[in-house]
Amino acid sequence: MISRKLAAVASALLLTFSTLLPLAMASSASADSPNLIANASVETADPSNSAQPQSWLKDNWGTNKETYTYLKTGAEDGTHAVKVQMTSYTSGDAKWYFTPVNVTAGSQYNFSDYYQGTVATDVVAQFDDGNGNYTYQDLGAAAKSTTWKQYAASLTVPAGAVHVTVFHLIESVGTLTTDNFSLTAAAPVTPPPPPTPGSNLIANQSVETASPNNSAMPQSWLQDKWGTNKVTYSYPTTGGQDGKRSVKLQMTSYTSGDAKWYFTPVAVQQNTLYTYSDYYQSNVASDVVVQFDDGNGNYTYQDLGSPATSTAWKQFTATFTPPSTAVHATVFHLLAKVGTLTTDNFSLTSSTVTPPPPPPPGNAITNPSVETPDPTNSAMPQSWLHDNWGTNTPTYTYLNGGAEDGSRAMQIQMTSYTSGDAKWYFKPVTVPAGTTQYAFSDYYKASVSTMAYAVFDMSDGSTLYQIIGQPGVSANWQKFATNFTVPAGAVDVTVYHLINQVGTLTTDNFSLAPYTPTGFNRPIVTLTFDDGYQSTYDNGLPELNKYGFKSTQYIITGLVGQPNYMTKSEVLAWNTGGHDVESHTVTHPDLTQLTAAQLTTELSQSQSTLQSWLGKPVKDLAYPY
């Protein structure tokens, strides 16, 4: 994982590099020269341009002002050196660099140069695959130095790369002078023995073994940063938690990004639970993130937690399960603020995860009776989640007794409420092609009225919510059952049986199955009339009676008897004539704009008023708008 600023370098150098490729081929080292860089001490001037050394280039990108100088005195080796003076800076960088040379993928190389700098600078390796595609590797930061100082680092050529050059670059107002460059193939390194199956997967887990090519690095470990910050990496030889050695980060300035040491990525497998741990000391809070890759350069990340400040060695532990595409993983215990972080004694072990049982026949929900705990978190049922939004305080409990089915159930206790809701819900299930309706049911106990929503992820990336019921108060287990329609374009679905007021909701024994409604054996038309207008009674009733049609009248109960609306006796005449009379609220408001109390009033009062007039249940509602 390389600094994000380097992405811009590729476009800035693409044209320049493509025109220089033939020269790069000629600059490869001969058999009797271990240094791969032609004109490594920049002593030989370019015959066509005496202002620059032969086989060397210069470049900048971003918003800055710089001057390039080919010095003829004051060099570290010989008489010549190259210099960049940055006089103004907003973004980007500037550098001298040697023409790219041939390298072998998978091989390690050692780079060094001598430099003087009035500011801290950076060293970056640029690789290309011969087809104009570039990748970058951060080799570290060189501290400012008023005298000649050697900078050395090692680099490993990624798969697909055929050429490399190295940028010792400046990215702030100041001066950088460089000379006496070297790039040599490293001696073959005997890799550390592979970990025993089932044991620690991290090679050199206590960082006791230094890299044979770079004593400032532990073997099989890397360092990296991105963003705008200044960090110093160190490899202490005393004071480790386990043995003598540890790795340390000191962040001296911070605007964005992070910095970290991390072990070489290891192979990971599906349906496997991994346990990670390390020991750390820090004077600020830090973060732990696992990075997965799919073997094709695509990365995903999973947050493992945020260890608090600790002046003494403290262990951090977390578990994770790789996503379906992952083939490798490493873990970043990173620093993203000014402060110090020291880490040591790392561990990554694996154990097989027992996959959840398949859904029962006809039920799309995995673990529908919530009997199986999650293997990574015993406080959760497997394949279930919980969530809340708004201003409220819920407590989620995975009960181990008192269930409706088996021994386990789920409970939410809402202790304070201003807005939003809280819910347990099953992981969304895929909607099979051709599914138009679902039958859903669960069992619940509730001290307050609750709500049920079907929640769909749509093919356009949006989320659609559909109210499917309002289960009421029940001190005993009560079954809630309903059918709902699948909207066109739905990809997957889950159901929220939620609580949105102070109280308690307990749920268990869920079912979700495709539903095929029973068809009619003849065409049917339903005639409905909203609002209860006088004209419907005067003009509509005679025509309906003439042809023997029956209708449903949705009545606004608060407007009965008002001008242009039916009277109570006219409403009753519809009922006695065999027509259906149902609710259309009390005042015809937009229900989505009401408070919970106003909503209850509009629905319950319209129903109770009509039931008192008609002397029979009113079970249907046509909602306004």
Side-chain angles (χ1 to χ4, degrees):
M1 185 175 181
I2 304 304
S3 174
R4 295 178 184 175
K5 69 186 179 186
L6 299 179
V9 178
S11 60
L13 295 177
L14 183 58
L15 180 59
T16 300
F17 184 50
S18 64
T19 62
L20 293 167
L21 206 53
L23 182 57
M25 303 305 98
S27 66
S28 298
S30 63
D32 59 353
S33 174
N35 191 349
L36 301 180
I37 302 173
N39 195 18
S41 289
V42 299
E43 292 299 299
T44 304
D46 191 309
S48 63
N49 183 0
S50 61
Q52 67 180 47
Q54 190 173 18
S55 302
W56 282 79
L57 307 162
K58 59 192 178 187
D59 185 61
N60 83 302
W61 69 276
T63 304
N64 51 72
K65 295 290 185 182
E66 74 290 327
T67 302
Y68 300 93
T69 308
Y70 182 29
L71 302 175
K72 296 182 180 180
T73 60
E76 193 280 331
D77 178 66
T79 59
H80 285 68
V82 287
K83 179 178 176 180
V84 184
Q85 183 170 11
M86 185 82 76
T87 54
S88 70
Y89 181 84
T90 302
S91 63
D93 63 54
K95 59 269 182 182
W96 287 94
Y97 63 100
F98 57 88
T99 53
V101 299
N102 293 333
V103 287
T104 303
S107 297
Q108 191 173 46
Y109 293 80
N110 295 327
F111 170 81
S112 70
D113 67 9
Y114 284 82
Y115 74 95
Q116 293 176 322
T118 61
V119 291
T121 53
D122 286 299
V123 183
V124 176
Q126 176 189 266
F127 302 96
D128 84 274
D129 64 357
N131 295 309
N133 301 307
Y134 298 88
T135 57
Y136 298 86
Q137 199 175 112
D138 195 340
L139 302 186
K144 65 181 181 179
S145 178
T146 57
T147 60
W148 285 108
K149 183 177 182 180
Q150 187 179 37
Y151 183 86
S154 61
L155 57 97
T156 301
V157 181
V162 296
H163 311 119
V164 69
T165 187
V166 177
F167 303 149
H168 192 155
L169 57 88
I170 185 169
E171 53 182 351
S172 57
V173 172
T175 302
L176 170 65
T177 307
T178 47
D179 190 16
N180 197 0
F181 299 79
S182 175
L183 182 69
T184 59
V189 176
T190 302
T196 304
S199 64
N200 194 345
L201 302 178
I202 302 173
N204 196 17
Q205 64 266 22
S206 289
V207 299
E208 293 298 302
T209 304
S211 171
N213 295 305
N214 184 355
S215 61
M217 298 273 292
Q219 190 173 8
S220 303
W221 284 78
L222 305 164
Q223 55 188 219
D224 184 57
K225 79 177 182 83
W226 68 275
T228 304
N229 54 72
K230 294 294 182 183
V231 64
T232 301
Y233 301 90
S234 57
Y235 183 29
T237 57
T238 60
Q241 192 277 333
D242 177 61
K244 296 180 178 180
R245 309 211 62 161
S246 59
V247 287
K248 183 177 179 180
L249 301 167
Q250 184 169 11
M251 187 83 75
T252 54
S253 71
Y254 181 85
T255 302
S256 63
D258 63 56
K260 58 268 185 182
W261 288 92
Y262 62 100
F263 57 88
T264 303
V266 300
V268 291
Q269 297 177 329
Q270 307 307 308
N271 297 320
T272 302
L273 175 68
Y274 289 85
T275 301
Y276 170 81
S277 70
D278 66 19
Y279 285 81
Y280 74 95
Q281 294 175 321
S282 63
N283 60 10
V284 291
S286 52
D287 290 292
V288 182
V289 176
V290 57
Q291 174 188 268
F292 303 101
D293 79 88
D294 64 358
N296 295 310
N298 301 306
Y299 296 89
T300 56
Y301 299 86
Q302 194 177 123
D303 194 344
L304 298 185
S306 300
T309 302
S310 179
T311 57
W313 285 109
K314 185 176 182 181
Q315 188 177 36
F316 172 82
T317 302
T319 59
F320 63 86
T321 302
S324 59
T325 58
V327 295
H328 306 113
T330 187
V331 178
F332 303 149
H333 193 155
L334 59 87
L335 194 58
K337 60 185 68 174
V338 172
T340 302
L341 169 65
T342 307
T343 46
D344 190 14
N345 197 0
F346 300 80
S347 176
L348 183 66
T349 59
S350 63
S351 58
T352 301
V353 174
T354 303
N363 190 349
I365 301 172
T366 299
N367 198 17
S369 290
V370 300
E371 294 298 302
T372 305
D374 191 306
T376 65
N377 183 356
S378 60
M380 297 274 293
Q382 192 169 14
S383 301
W384 285 79
L385 305 164
H386 57 59
D387 185 50
N388 80 302
W389 69 276
T391 304
N392 53 71
T393 306
T395 299
Y396 302 93
T397 308
Y398 183 29
L399 301 176
N400 200 13
E404 192 281 329
D405 177 63
S407 60
R408 310 297 299 250
M410 305 178 300
Q411 186 177 92
I412 305 172
Q413 185 171 12
M414 187 77 80
T415 54
S416 71
Y417 182 85
T418 302
S419 63
D421 63 56
K423 58 267 184 183
W424 288 92
Y425 61 99
F426 56 88
K427 290 184 178 179
V429 299
T430 301
V431 176
T435 304
T436 59
Q437 292 193 43
Y438 275 106
F440 172 79
S441 68
D442 67 9
Y443 285 81
Y444 75 95
K445 293 192 291 187
S447 64
V448 293
S449 181
T450 58
M451 294 289 291
Y453 284 79
V455 183
F456 301 93
D457 288 322
M458 307 300 289
S459 58
D460 63 0
S462 64
T463 302
L464 188 148
Y465 299 85
Q466 186 182 129
I467 298 175
I468 61 173
Q470 188 174 8
V473 176
S474 180
N476 300 311
W477 284 110
Q478 175 76 29
K479 185 175 184 179
F480 167 70
T482 188
N483 301 330
F484 59 87
T485 300
V486 178
V491 175
D492 57 41
V493 63
T494 187
V495 175
Y496 296 163
H497 189 160
L498 59 85
I499 184 169
N500 57 359
Q501 55 189 308
V502 171
T504 302
L505 169 64
T506 308
T507 49
D508 190 15
N509 198 2
F510 296 76
S511 177
L512 180 72
Y515 173 72
T516 302
T518 302
F520 298 109
N521 58 13
R522 59 188 176 87
I524 291 179
V525 174
T526 300
L527 302 176
T528 67
F529 296 81
D530 286 2
D531 301 334
Y533 289 116
Q534 184 67 50
S535 60
T536 304
Y537 181 82
D538 294 341
N539 303 321
L541 182 57
E543 290 297 307
L544 291 169
N545 289 338
K546 175 181 177 181
Y547 293 104
F549 291 150
K550 302 300 180 184
S551 67
T552 300
Q553 301 292 320
Y554 289 104
I555 303 298
I556 306 171
T557 56
L559 296 180
V560 172
Q562 298 299 313
N564 299 320
Y565 288 90
M566 300 180 205
T567 64
K568 176 182 176 182
S569 61
E570 290 170 336
V571 171
L572 294 178
W574 287 98
N575 181 60
T576 55
H579 298 264
D580 194 17
V581 177
E582 301 290 349
S583 173
H584 198 43
T585 72
V586 178
T587 63
H588 202 271
D590 183 347
L591 300 182
T592 65
Q593 304 301 311
L594 302 186
T595 65
Q598 292 170 330
L599 184 64
T600 299
T601 297
E602 287 288 341
L603 300 181
S604 62
Q605 287 191 7
S606 62
Q607 181 188 46
S608 61
T609 297
L610 289 173
Q611 288 181 160
S612 67
W613 291 353
L614 303 172
K616 64 180 183 181
V618 171
K619 298 181 179 181
D620 202 3
L621 166 76
Y623 55 85
Y625 300 100

